[in-house]
Amino acid sequence: MTEPIAGSAMPAAPHGPFRPGDRVQLTDPKGRVNTVTLQPGKLYHSHKGAIPHDDIIGSPEGSVFRSTGGTEYLAFRPLLADYALRMPRGAAVVYPKDAAQIVTMADIFPGARVVEAGAGSGALTCWLLRAVGEHGLVSSYERREDFAEIARTNVETYFGGPHPAWRLTLGSLEDALTDTDVDRVVLDMLAPWECVDAVAKALVPGGLVCAYVATTTQLSRVVESLREHGAFAEPYAFETLLRSWHVEGLAVRPDHRMVGHTGFLATARRLADGVRPPVRRRRPAKGAQTAEAPAPPAPLD
């Protein structure tokens, strides 16, 4: 099932005074965040008291509102990073630190034609749509119908309606892929190595595939599959760790908690048709050597 979205207008830029229908983050003095959707006549309620939505509507971002219980709340529209971490989930979301690396290291540019598999909960889809813009195309493939509906809801909620650059297809990439002349392919799936041949046929020469996987065994298999296929240059594999810092006067130290391992990324460029990659010179792993192991030394008398 392919459902292209056509004739839709891009939502207004998320700035200016708060308007009815806007999502707003209210942050209390302890840093706790509550997200509300503004509706005239409604109230935000908490154990700290209430704030009328009408007080927020028409005010600029960065305003402070006092509840009836005397607690002050700071109001901002949520960033995409905030939205991605708090959106309803089917599959696990791609964390902002990994989404940023995908957009950067996969070189997602305005107007790019991008294939994504799978759509998951739609977090990465939102980042890709932001990067390609109104004149690009993000073609997402998702095997599970329940995940596809969650992704559709999350994407349309964030953008305020259907995005004109998004096409969502229900089905597996290796069976349903019809896109050609693709600039980038992003694989966020359990077995991306199963799609290498289909990806090679879809990508333009110089295009790039980026695989996002959770375990070292998956990383090894997808990298070796890209090497063995013959249509790709040498893959590049890496991960990103994020550590925030506590800065309070002279107390400057790493926070006790950090976003450590979330996933591995592997990227590779598409070669021109008929071209074989140069033989990579590398020191083989001991387990890959075919020479017989030397005999153990003779025992001492």
Side-chain angles (χ1 to χ4, degrees), residues 51 85 251 273:
I51 299 176
L85 292 176
D273 292 336

Side-chain angles (χ1 to χ4, degrees), residues 142 286 291:
E142 176 53 57
K286 291 183 178 180

Side-chain angles (χ1 to χ4, degrees), residues 19-267:
R19 299 179 293 268
D22 282 352
R23 295 171 64 87
V24 176
Q25 284 188 166
L26 297 174
T27 306
D28 70 13
K30 292 186 177 180
R32 291 174 295 202
V33 177
N34 297 275
T35 303
V36 299
T37 300
L38 295 179
Q39 301 178 53
K42 297 289 186 178
L43 294 173
Y44 163 71
H45 287 281
S46 76
H47 66 286
K48 300 290 188 180
I51 299 176
H53 288 203
D54 290 335
D55 289 354
I56 303 174
I57 294 173
S59 300
E61 284 196 78
S63 297
V64 174
F65 300 94
R66 184 182 296 273
S67 71
T68 54
T71 300
E72 292 185 331
Y73 288 83
L74 183 60
F76 284 105
R77 290 185 178 91
L79 303 175
L80 178 49
D82 301 319
Y83 180 75
L85 292 176
R86 293 178 172 86
M87 63 168 51
R89 302 185 184 187
V93 301
V94 175
Y95 270 66
K97 74 179 183 69
D98 295 320
Q101 289 292 323
I102 290 170
V103 170
T104 300
M105 300 303 288
D107 195 40
I108 311 296
F109 56 90
R113 294 174 56 86
V114 179
V115 166
E116 175 197 23
S121 296
L124 180 58
T125 308
C126 290
W127 291 105
L128 296 174
L129 287 169
R130 283 265 296 265
V132 305
E134 186 176 359
H135 302 294
L137 173 66
V138 175
S139 185
S140 301
Y141 291 79
E142 176 53 57
R143 291 180 177 182
R144 291 183 50 168
E145 186 173 2
D146 54 340
F147 286 178
E149 287 306 313
I150 292 171
R152 182 192 304 280
T153 299
N154 285 334
V155 170
E156 293 186 0
T157 297
Y158 179 75
F159 288 104
H163 195 291
W166 191 36
R167 184 172 65 199
L168 177 62
T169 299
L170 184 62
S172 62
L173 182 71
E174 57 269 33
D175 297 329
L177 181 62
T178 58
D179 297 82
T180 58
D181 297 325
V182 173
D183 299 301
R184 306 289 185 262
V185 176
V186 180
L187 303 175
D188 176 16
M189 53 192 301
L190 185 63
W193 51 87
E194 296 177 353
C195 303
V196 170
D197 191 54
V199 168
K201 293 176 182 177
L203 278 172
V204 299
L208 183 145
V209 59
C210 177
Y212 179 63
V213 294
T215 69
T216 54
T217 51
Q218 288 174 302
L219 179 66
S220 174
R221 189 162 181 182
V222 70
V223 167
E224 294 301 335
S225 295
L226 289 168
R227 284 177 178 153
E228 293 168 2
H229 186 274
F232 295 93
E234 177 65 13
Y236 173 60
F238 63 102
E239 69 171 330
T240 303
L241 307 179
L242 176 65
R243 184 174 70 177
S244 58
W245 279 67
H246 171 90
V247 181
E248 197 73 41
L250 296 178
V252 180
R253 55 169 174 73
D255 277 332
H256 297 304
R257 302 172 68 180
M258 66 178 289
V259 181
H261 172 73
T262 50
F264 299 103
L265 291 168
T267 62

